[in-house]
């Protein structure tokens, strides 16, 4: 049940109705039931895995709190985290490591037999396992108390707007809210606005771009460098609109139920440098990696060499989190290199005009996206080579690059339309950052514009959200 | 909640107004070198060719203008089916257009397909009454729901209309009197041999056959000379059993209606010459020139 299906609309309307006729103290129970029903519409068999992980981490959380020494607490922390990570490894990374080790053995002419298993990773596993780890780590660090009510904890893990693709909400922000769920008209309206923006990004921009981008990235050798360049550029727009669109909808749905959530994106393509970009892109994951990987490794407090190492490890893990593939690892590695180079160069970008900094950062991020999107490293390298050596602004090259949008003479109208709407998103974010407008009528006008555009230009037949696969 | 309802109401009013305006008046914004509107403005066409992209790619309008008596125009929509060609002809006649020689596309596959609109440009070219007529035809012959209705009346051609000043200028420049001015290159034999055929069909579709009969009857009633033309297809198409059976059925139908036709084999044209084809059914620029020169010589 995707967010933009009619069945989800029915689900949410019925749930809202039931929710607000239910007394406040019982509302969380309804949310818990709804969350499990929602998850079962994706994969009803794997709900048992979710339940088992929830039970185990609930139990270990209680043990960490009850432990009479740091050693015992650490034991229970690891007892909670390792099985969860083990499951994540089994479902997401086992095949990758089997294949990689088989290839490694082949290099040394050793007998290698890769026994790949057909395991399909449970939907949302990367997100809910990180929530569990976060919960246990915060108890261990004495930042929160273990939740005594198992069902409230189960709701924190399975909260339906977030279980498929985040945000990875922290327990200290979400759990206390479940105890006091009230109707908040301001939050309700904000949620509605966010949902509209999210649908606009997904249906009007991301869904319209996905076919073209997939076509070029799957067979880059069939297209010229101009098409490669356009596909790379459009993928940067697609992934932003797809993922931030999902996050907006997820946060917005939370708001409808009186729940505030952390912001997952904050105008990332207006970042002045890569570090700034990671403060604005997938904030819930970036901050998770900062708090539970980078800082425990020593962060930036132990000299340049250790900082460089920690940056490398954190970004490689970030790449790996996105998927078990060399392309994701390389993508993480490229971002690590950007950050390391910036650290060593002492932030030379800072001396430039702010707009130039934004453009340079965008180009660097977009170049790295090529490795993220390509199926293999060879394909990514070919794309880069094709863009550098076969890019042309000749009319024939542009025609050939644009034609795959629709395959006929409507292709240009299609491209111009989607670029125009992407520009609106950019203009809106630019205004919010540099010329904030506080009048309610201004925001209402934007919302009406987005709604009208969704009705007239929405592509409702597109693919699922990209981050649902992670 | 009141604010949300107000927003939804404003949105509903705006969307409805835009959709009504679009469906009633968008045809006034269509191209000046392609589609039905230039024909209506002109009022009289001596040689009108109605067909699909095969006519657009296969007929050289410049050559026909120079070598056929009177005015010529190629009216094409992608995948144009007989049922739609009938409606297009009726639409033009309703607007008082006079036609002397009518040349219709003979492509058996579109005549074997269930009625459907294969090119939304028709909706851009026509008034609301015609759209409703097409919608009724689709609904009668297919199972349609909200999605189809939405695609048909709400979302069709919105991109084009939004970007009209640019899109129309660029698209209009690729047409002259309905014919394509683009010069697509031919393929190689290897490329064409690698292409798949179009699969099997279960004979001609009843509604399409009815439309062909209606077109012929209308032509007779309005004193138009009517000829069906099969543009050349790459050699492999002529060894495709399904294509040959459907073609035979079409020919039998035209014979039974005592209607003239020109088949691909009636024209001296090398269907094995790969450089004459973009793909299995569309001619390249070279193919278009070579074929039109021969065709003009035999047109009645």
């Amino acid at each position: 049940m995707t967010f933009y299906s009619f069945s989800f609309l029915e689900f949410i309307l019925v749930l809202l109705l039931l929710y607000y006729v239910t007394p406040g103290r019982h509302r969380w129970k309804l949310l818990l039931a709804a969350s499990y029903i929602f998850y079962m519409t994706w994969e009803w068999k794997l709900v048992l895995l979710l339940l088992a992980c929830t039970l185990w981490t609930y139990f270990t959380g209680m043990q960490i709190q009850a432990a009479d020494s740091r050693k015992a607490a650490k034991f229970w922390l690891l007892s909670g985290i390792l099985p969860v990570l083990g499951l994540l490894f089994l479902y997401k990374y086992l095949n990758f490591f089997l294949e990689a080790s088989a290839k490694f053995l082949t290099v040394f002419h050793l007998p290698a037999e890769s026994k790949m298993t057909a395991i399909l990773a449970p939907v949302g596993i990367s997100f809910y396992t990180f929530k569990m780890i976060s919960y246990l780590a915060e108890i261990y660090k004495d930042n929160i108390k273990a939740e005594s009510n198992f069902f409230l904890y189960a709701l924190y893990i399975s909260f339906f707007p977030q279980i498929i693709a985040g945000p990875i909400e922290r327990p200290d922000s979400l759990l206390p809210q479940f105890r006091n769920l009230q109707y908040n008209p301001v939050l309700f309206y904000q949620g509605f606005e966010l949902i509209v923006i999210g649908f606009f990004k997904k249906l009007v921009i991301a869904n319209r771009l996905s076919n073209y981008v997939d076509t070029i990235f799957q067979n880059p050798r069939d297209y010229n460098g101009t098409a490669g360049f356009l596909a790379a550029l459009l993928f940067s727009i697609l992934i932003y609109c797809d993922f931030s669109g999902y996050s907006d909808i997820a946060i917005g749905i939370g708001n409808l139920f009186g729940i505030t959530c952390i912001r997952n994106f904050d105008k990332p393509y207006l970042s002045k440098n890569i570090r700034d970009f990671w403060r604005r892109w997938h904030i819930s994951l970036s901050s998770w990696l900062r708090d539970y990987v980078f800082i425990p490794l020593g962060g930036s407090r132990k000299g340049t060499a250790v900082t460089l190492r920690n940056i490398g490890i954190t970004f490689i893990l970030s790449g790996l989190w996105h998927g078990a593939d060399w392309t994701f690892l390389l993508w993480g590695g490229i971002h690590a290199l950007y950050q390391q180079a910036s650290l060593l160069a002492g932030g030379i970008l800072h001396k430039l005009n702010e707009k130039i900094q934004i453009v340079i950062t965008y180009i660097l991020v977009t170049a790295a996206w090529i490795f993220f999107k390509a199926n293999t490293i060879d394909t990514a390298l070919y794309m880069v080579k094709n863009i550098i050596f076969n890019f042309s602004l000749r009319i024939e090259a542009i025609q050939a690059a644009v034609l795959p949008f629709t395959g006929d003479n409507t292709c240009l109208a299609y491209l111009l339309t989607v670029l125009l709407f992407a520009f609106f998103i950019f203009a809106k974010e630019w205004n919010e950052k540099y010329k904030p407008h506080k009048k309610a009528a201004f925001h209402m006008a934007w919302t009406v514009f987005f709604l009208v555009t969704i009705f007239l230009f929405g592509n409702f037949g597109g693919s699922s959200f990209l981050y649902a696969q992670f | 909640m009141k604010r949300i309802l107000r927003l939804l109401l404003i949105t509903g009013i705006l969307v409805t107004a835009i959709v009504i305006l679009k469906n009633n008046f968008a045809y006034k914004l269509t191209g000046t070198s392609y589609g039905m509107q230039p024909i209506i403005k002109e009022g009289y066409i001596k040689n009108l060719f109605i067909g699909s992209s095969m006519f657009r790619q296969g007929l050289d309008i410049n050559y026909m203008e120079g070598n056929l008596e009177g005015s010529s125009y190629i009216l094409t929509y992608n995948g144009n089916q007989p049922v739609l060609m009938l409606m297009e002809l009726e639409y033009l006649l309703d607007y008082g257009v006079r036609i002397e020689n009518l040349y219709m596309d003979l492509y058996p596959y579109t005549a074997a397909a269930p009625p459907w609109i294969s090119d939304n440009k028709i909706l851009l070219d026509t008034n609301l009454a015609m759209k409703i007529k097409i919608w009724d035809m689709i609904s009668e012959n297919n199972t349609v729901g909200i999605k189809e209705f939405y695609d048909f009346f709400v979302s069709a051609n919105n991109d084009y209309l939004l970007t009209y000043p640019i899109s129309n200028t660029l698209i209009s420049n690729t047409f002259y009197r309905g014919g394509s001015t683009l010069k697509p290159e031919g393929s190689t034999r290897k490329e064409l041999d690698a292409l798949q055929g179009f699969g099997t069909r279960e004979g001609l579709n009843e509604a399409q056959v009815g439309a062909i009969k209606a077109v012929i009857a209308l032509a007779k009633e309005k004193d138009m000379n009517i000829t069906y033309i099969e543009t050349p297809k790459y050699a492999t198409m002529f060894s495709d059993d399904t294509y040959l059976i459907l073609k035979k059925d079409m020919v039998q139908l035209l014979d039974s209606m005592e209607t003239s036709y020109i088949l691909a084999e009636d024209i001296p044209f090398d269907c094995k010459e790969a450089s004459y084809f973009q793909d299995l059914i569309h001619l390249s620029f070279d193919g278009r020139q070579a074929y039109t020169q021969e065709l003009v010589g035999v047109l009645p």
Side-chain angles (χ1 to χ4, degrees):
Chain A
M1 187 158 46
T2 58
F3 281 173
Y4 59 91
S5 61
F6 273 108
S7 46
F8 185 75
L9 183 67
E10 287 164 1
F11 172 80
I12 210 81
L13 288 176
V14 171
L15 185 60
L16 273 172
L17 195 71
L18 291 174
Y19 185 79
Y20 282 112
V21 296
T22 304
R25 64 183 186 282
H26 295 301
R27 283 176 183 162
W28 67 268
K29 294 171 191 165
L30 192 65
L31 280 185
L32 176 63
S35 296
Y36 268 77
I37 291 168
F38 177 76
Y39 191 75
M40 282 193 282
T41 64
W42 284 77
E43 282 180 18
W44 65 271
K45 285 178 192 165
L46 289 165
V47 78
L48 290 175
L49 185 76
L50 171 68
L51 194 59
C53 289
T54 309
L55 267 167
W56 179 245
T57 47
Y58 169 75
F59 170 73
T60 49
M62 298 296 273
Q63 296 307 313
I64 294 169
Q65 187 164 280
D68 49 12
S69 66
R70 290 307 283 167
K71 200 176 166 188
K74 195 169 190 175
F75 168 78
W76 283 112
L77 174 70
L78 292 175
S79 303
I81 288 175
L82 290 177
V84 168
L85 279 179
L87 278 174
L88 187 62
F89 179 84
L90 175 75
Y91 279 108
K92 252 184 110 169
Y93 304 108
L94 183 63
N95 282 340
F96 173 67
F97 280 99
L98 284 174
E99 196 183 3
S101 49
K103 273 187 187 162
F104 182 76
L105 291 173
T106 317
V107 171
F108 296 101
H109 305 290
L110 292 167
E113 197 182 337
S114 170
K115 285 188 179 164
M116 307 287 281
T117 46
I119 302 176
L120 195 67
V123 67
I125 192 168
S126 305
F127 293 91
Y128 72 69
T129 51
F130 270 39
K131 264 178 150 179
M132 290 167 179
I133 293 169
S134 165
Y135 170 74
L136 296 176
E138 292 303 312
I139 300 172
Y140 177 76
K141 289 196 278 184
D142 269 342
N143 288 338
I144 60 165
K145 294 274 177 215
E147 175 55 58
S148 55
N149 186 331
F150 167 74
F151 296 104
L152 270 177
Y153 173 65
L155 174 58
Y156 161 67
I157 297 299
S158 64
F159 185 46
F160 76 92
Q162 302 179 348
I163 193 163
I164 305 301
I168 307 165
E169 200 76 33
R170 298 296 178 86
D172 53 335
S173 100
L174 204 51
L175 270 168
Q177 295 188 63
F178 291 145
R179 294 187 183 280
N180 184 30
L181 293 167
Q182 298 298 327
Y183 173 67
N184 178 340
V186 176
L187 198 58
F188 194 92
Y189 180 74
Q190 275 175 9
F192 173 77
E193 270 194 345
L194 266 179
I195 291 169
V196 171
I197 293 171
F199 277 125
F200 174 83
K201 287 177 180 170
K202 173 64 181 165
L203 300 174
V204 179
I205 301 177
N207 277 5
R208 284 177 151 250
L209 292 176
S210 60
N211 270 347
Y212 178 83
V213 169
D214 288 347
T215 304
I216 308 296
F217 269 89
Q218 272 161 20
N219 301 298
R221 284 170 177 80
D222 294 346
Y223 301 94
N224 61 27
T226 312
F229 171 80
L230 195 57
L233 177 89
L234 295 179
F235 181 67
S236 73
I237 298 172
L238 187 159
I239 192 160
Y240 172 59
C241 288
D242 190 282
F243 192 25
S244 75
Y246 178 92
S247 295
D248 288 342
I249 297 168
I251 295 167
I253 292 171
N255 290 169
L256 296 183
F257 293 96
I259 295 163
T260 52
C261 308
I262 59 160
R263 198 170 188 182
N264 213 18
F265 290 85
D266 183 16
K267 310 168 194 74
Y269 289 148
L270 295 179
S271 307
K272 291 185 281 182
N273 53 56
I274 296 294
R275 204 171 159 197
D276 190 23
F277 174 79
W278 281 105
R279 277 193 219 110
R280 297 165 177 276
W281 180 274
H282 200 177
I283 297 165
S284 63
L285 176 69
S286 311
S287 58
W288 193 100
L289 288 167
R290 181 197 64 207
D291 293 347
Y292 303 119
V293 179
F294 183 71
I295 291 174
L297 283 170
S300 53
R301 292 161 307 182
K302 295 186 178 173
T304 308
V306 176
T307 306
L308 292 175
R309 183 204 66 181
N310 294 345
I311 289 172
I313 292 172
T314 308
F315 277 95
I316 296 279
L317 280 178
S318 169
L320 205 55
W321 179 89
H322 283 87
D325 209 311
W326 293 106
T327 50
F328 292 118
L329 274 175
L330 191 56
W331 170 75
I334 290 168
H335 272 279
L337 277 176
Y338 286 162
Q339 296 251 41
Q340 290 161 336
S342 164
L343 185 72
L344 291 172
I348 45 168
L349 271 183
H350 297 318
K351 292 167 192 160
L352 297 169
N353 172 289
E354 187 177 340
K355 284 166 192 161
I356 296 173
Q357 289 181 45
I358 290 172
V359 171
I360 292 173
T361 307
Y362 174 72
I363 292 169
L364 291 173
V365 169
T366 301
W369 283 134
I370 295 174
F371 292 86
F372 185 95
K373 172 63 182 165
N375 289 331
T376 63
I377 291 176
D378 276 353
T379 308
L381 290 174
Y382 179 84
M383 287 279 291
V384 174
K385 207 169 74 181
N386 202 22
I387 291 169
I388 294 171
F389 296 109
N390 295 322
F391 177 81
S392 165
L393 286 174
R394 281 186 307 116
I395 193 75
E396 296 84 3
I398 294 172
Q399 273 176 349
V402 175
L403 190 66
F405 275 104
T406 58
D408 60 26
N409 60 16
T410 58
C411 58
L412 186 72
Y414 190 96
L415 172 66
L416 289 175
T417 301
V418 77
L419 287 179
L420 184 71
F421 290 133
F423 171 78
F424 279 121
I425 284 289
F426 173 77
K428 185 176 183 291
E429 296 196 346
W430 183 274
N431 270 324
E432 279 171 7
K433 188 174 179 189
Y434 296 103
K435 296 173 194 166
H437 216 295
K438 295 226 161 61
K439 281 190 179 165
F442 180 79
H443 293 286
M444 275 181 77
W446 268 114
T447 309
V448 169
F449 168 76
F450 287 140
L451 272 170
V452 170
T453 314
I454 290 166
F455 277 110
L456 296 177
F457 294 91
N459 178 343
F460 296 87
S463 53
S464 183
F465 290 92
L466 285 177
Y467 265 65
Q469 65 186 283
F470 303 139
Chain B
M1 202 63 189
K2 266 187 194 167
R3 227 163 132 194
I4 293 174
L5 290 175
R6 205 163 60 211
L7 279 184
L8 290 174
L9 185 69
I10 295 169
T11 304
I13 292 168
L14 280 174
V15 170
T16 310
I18 292 169
V19 169
I20 290 172
L21 282 173
K22 181 184 87 162
N23 283 297
N24 273 295
F25 302 111
Y27 68 91
K28 291 183 189 290
L29 289 176
T30 54
T32 50
S33 58
Y34 63 95
M36 284 189 266
Q37 294 308 316
I39 304 175
I40 292 169
K41 271 183 199 149
E42 217 164 300
Y44 168 74
I45 302 285
K46 176 138 180 152
N47 310 300
L48 180 64
F49 297 80
I50 302 183
S52 65
S53 54
M54 279 163 279
F55 263 19
R56 185 163 63 239
Q57 302 292 348
L59 302 175
D60 186 336
I61 187 68
N62 290 312
Y63 189 84
M64 293 199 299
E65 279 251 298
N67 294 277
L68 283 177
E69 199 185 300
S71 59
S72 296
Y73 193 97
I74 306 171
L75 175 63
T76 61
Y77 296 101
N78 294 330
N80 214 3
Q81 299 179 347
V83 286
L84 288 166
M85 291 197 252
L86 168 64
M87 287 184 181
E88 289 150 23
L89 181 63
E90 287 173 338
Y91 187 78
L92 292 175
L93 295 175
D94 283 349
Y95 272 94
V97 173
R98 288 178 301 114
I99 301 155
E100 212 168 306
N101 301 314
L102 182 62
Y103 301 102
M104 305 292 288
D105 196 353
L106 190 162
Y107 182 53
Y109 273 120
T110 50
W116 191 259
I117 186 163
S118 52
D119 188 346
N120 282 344
K121 278 269 160 59
I122 301 174
L123 303 178
L124 195 63
D125 252 359
T126 51
N127 59 23
L128 183 61
M130 171 73 161
K131 288 185 188 97
I132 293 171
K133 201 171 154 188
I134 298 173
W135 175 254
D136 288 343
M137 180 270 292
I138 291 176
S139 325
E140 277 166 26
N141 291 283
N142 302 275
T143 312
V144 289
I146 292 172
K147 194 198 171 296
E148 288 75 18
F149 183 87
Y150 171 82
D151 290 344
F152 194 94
F153 288 106
V154 180
S155 70
N157 298 307
N158 288 351
D159 295 355
Y160 176 85
L161 290 168
L162 183 72
T163 59
Y164 175 75
I166 299 171
S167 298
N168 180 53
T169 309
L170 290 172
I171 294 175
S172 292
N173 282 337
T174 64
F175 286 93
Y176 173 66
R177 297 185 68 76
S180 175
T181 56
L182 296 175
K183 297 177 179 176
E185 287 179 8
S187 301
T188 62
R189 200 171 177 168
K190 200 178 161 190
E191 284 168 340
L192 291 174
D193 287 342
L195 295 174
Q196 301 286 320
F198 297 94
T200 55
R201 302 284 191 283
E202 289 174 10
L204 298 179
N205 179 280
E206 236 176 80
Q208 308 286 9
V209 169
I212 293 169
K213 287 178 179 170
V215 166
I216 294 167
L218 194 58
K220 282 180 183 161
E221 184 195 322
K222 300 281 179 184
D223 256 353
M224 290 182 262
N225 304 310
I226 181 166
T227 307
Y228 274 81
I229 299 172
E230 180 199 27
T231 55
K233 313 290 181 286
Y234 185 59
T236 51
M237 283 293 284
F238 293 125
S239 56
D240 183 305
D241 285 343
T242 305
Y243 186 82
L244 293 176
I245 291 167
L246 292 173
K247 181 174 164 178
K248 195 177 147 203
D249 291 346
M250 281 282 282
V251 168
Q252 274 177 358
L253 174 68
L254 295 175
D255 281 337
S256 70
M257 300 289 294
E258 296 174 347
T259 303
S260 62
Y261 50 84
I262 301 168
L263 301 178
E265 56 265 34
D266 299 334
I267 304 279
F269 182 85
D270 187 0
C271 289
K272 288 180 182 160
E273 176 52 56
S275 67
Y276 281 169
F277 293 89
Q278 295 177 61
D279 53 38
L280 295 179
I281 57 173
H282 295 107
L283 295 180
S284 65
F285 178 60
D286 289 345
R288 180 195 305 165
Q289 284 190 311
Y291 174 67
T292 312
Q293 283 170 24
E294 297 295 342
L295 177 73
V296 165
V298 299
L299 280 180

